[in-house]
Amino acid sequence: MRDSPSASPSARRALTQRLQAAEARILDKPANSQPAVRVARILPLMLIATIALWSFAPVSWLRVLTPWVGAFALLCAGMYLSAVVLRIGRFYWRHLSDLDEANASVHSLRRAVYQTVGVLLATLLLAVAFFVLSAQLLADTEGARESRLLWALTVGGMVLSLFFGELVTRLIEAMDALLSDAGDPADEEQA
């Protein structure tokens, strides 16, 4: 029993070192300056397609497709928000990781970034739960109202999260460019 308290700090220290090494491998990679596809450009096409399908599809199609479309929308929102969180983490790593770890603001920011990982995992679980529950609900109903409502809520939620993620991504890119230009030694040598 006496060895466990002394072994516990060394085990925690070893775990902390492994987690910091994993963090460095993930966040030290340079971010894509321009993603392959800007979501804001395809968002209107996605909206038109889903509204057309939602408006004109037969009720039998809606009952079958709604659980799939809703779960897919939640998964897309979770994946896109994961990419935004990764951008925030890389921004933190690039500009703030050299600051003193004892600084309360830096520690709070780092903890907030890691807390978002729990939210993203909850989004994935929500997608699975949505699929199961909506499939059960729609199997018990005959009308299209429930399927259209579920469809609109999940696709609307995805659109909102993609729009918000685009705004946050543009803010991160602008802040990254601003801080990179302010700290670029080549610019200081030319001046």
Side-chain angles (χ1 to χ4, degrees), residues 15-26:
L15 178 62
T16 301
Q17 289 173 345
R18 277 188 254 145
L19 289 174
Q20 287 174 345
E23 177 187 41
R25 280 192 306 274
I26 292 170

Side-chain angles (χ1 to χ4, degrees), residues 22-156:
E23 177 187 41
R25 280 192 306 274
I26 292 170
L27 298 179
D28 202 23
K29 297 176 184 174
N32 276 344
S33 59
Q34 290 296 324
V37 175
R38 276 281 193 197
V39 175
R41 291 184 182 159
I42 62 170
L43 197 55
L45 297 175
M46 289 174 23
L47 278 174
I48 291 169
T50 191
I51 288 172
L53 189 59
W54 179 71
S55 299
F56 301 114
V59 175
S60 60
W61 285 24
L62 290 176
R63 283 201 324 249
V64 171
L65 289 176
T66 297
W68 291 100
V69 168
F72 181 72
L74 289 169
L75 286 174
C76 284
M79 288 186 306
Y80 188 74
L81 292 177
S82 298
V84 171
V85 168
L86 185 61
R87 276 189 174 270
I88 292 170
R90 286 185 175 153
F91 175 81
Y92 160 80
W93 186 262
R94 184 170 176 192
H95 297 289
L96 304 175
S97 64
D98 293 336
L99 296 177
D100 184 17
E101 192 65 33
N103 185 335
S105 298
V106 172
H107 185 67
S108 175
L109 176 64
R110 186 176 187 171
R111 190 170 355 133
V113 169
Y114 285 117
Q115 286 173 348
T116 58
V117 173
V119 173
L120 298 173
L121 292 175
T123 304
L124 297 177
L125 292 174
L126 181 65
V128 172
F130 175 85
F131 180 81
V132 171
L133 293 175
S134 65
Q136 289 174 353
L137 173 76
L138 294 174
D140 295 338
T141 63
E142 294 178 11
R145 289 182 181 169
E146 293 86 358
S147 62
R148 286 193 168 109
L149 175 66
L150 291 171
W151 188 303
L153 287 174
T154 54
V155 171

